[in-house]
Amino acid sequence: MEKVLLQTEKAIDVRFSEVDLMGVVWHGSYMMYLEDAREEFGTRFGLSYCRYIEENVMVPVVEMNLKYRKPVKYGMKPVVRISYVPTDAAKIIFDYEIYDSETGDVCLTARSIQVFMDTDYNLLWFSPGFYEDWKRRMGV
């Protein structure tokens, strides 16, 4: 079976409270935008945070790498593109691009890595069964 690309996009509404005096988005706000994209991905592809809770699994972000290319400014209409990165490891990896919807300019690229933990905060060394089933259904 050929692997498929699971990707979606989430438009961002830049709030005035997220920018500095220059009208530029504060660097910490970008992580919230990426979180919004992960929620959008989960809703679209059936891998929501509610699903993890139902399965008694937590998925903390353990690594986040951001590369700022151009500033996002108040008044812009940015979009986050999130792409699932297949791996055999017991991890969930996403790549991101935040781009200006009017010009297409890429403002930020990023990657996040999440791991699986049980509700007692123990690291799971193998992906949970429901996640392996989801990967098979999605063709990734």
Side-chain angles (χ1 to χ4, degrees), residues 103-137:
T103 65
D105 292 344
V106 174
C107 300
L108 178 133
T109 59
R111 174 169 277 197
S112 67
I113 300 175
Q114 295 168 266
V115 296
F116 296 100
M117 297 178 81
D118 65 21
T119 55
D120 291 324
Y121 302 97
N122 297 305
L123 181 65
L124 301 179
W125 293 101
F126 300 97
S127 296
F130 81 92
Y131 179 66
E132 289 297 325
D133 292 342
W134 176 84
K135 290 195 311 184
R136 278 190 290 281
R137 281 194 320 277

Side-chain angles (χ1 to χ4, degrees), residues 54-73:
E54 290 168 5
E55 298 289 344
N56 294 314
V57 174
M58 297 184 291
V59 287
V61 173
V62 295
E63 188 174 327
M64 180 78 70
N65 183 317
L66 290 79
K67 294 181 183 177
Y68 301 95
R69 308 281 186 198
K70 292 182 81 170
V72 173
K73 299 177 183 174

Side-chain angles (χ1 to χ4, degrees), residues 10-15 18 33 36 76-80 98:
K10 171 75 174 166
I12 299 169
D13 291 321
V14 177
R15 300 178 325 158
E18 296 168 341
Y33 300 156
D36 291 344
M76 287 175 66
K77 301 294 181 199
V79 174
V80 182
I98 296 180

Side-chain angles (χ1 to χ4, degrees), residues 71-111:
V72 173
K73 299 177 183 174
Y74 188 69
M76 287 175 66
K77 301 294 181 199
V79 174
V80 182
R81 178 179 298 127
I82 180 172
S83 302
Y84 176 81
V85 179
T87 179
D88 291 330
K91 298 177 179 181
I92 303 173
I93 302 172
F94 290 109
D95 283 338
Y96 312 82
E97 279 187 345
I98 296 180
Y99 66 91
D100 182 341
S101 64
E102 294 177 355
T103 65
D105 292 344
V106 174
C107 300
L108 178 133
T109 59
R111 174 169 277 197

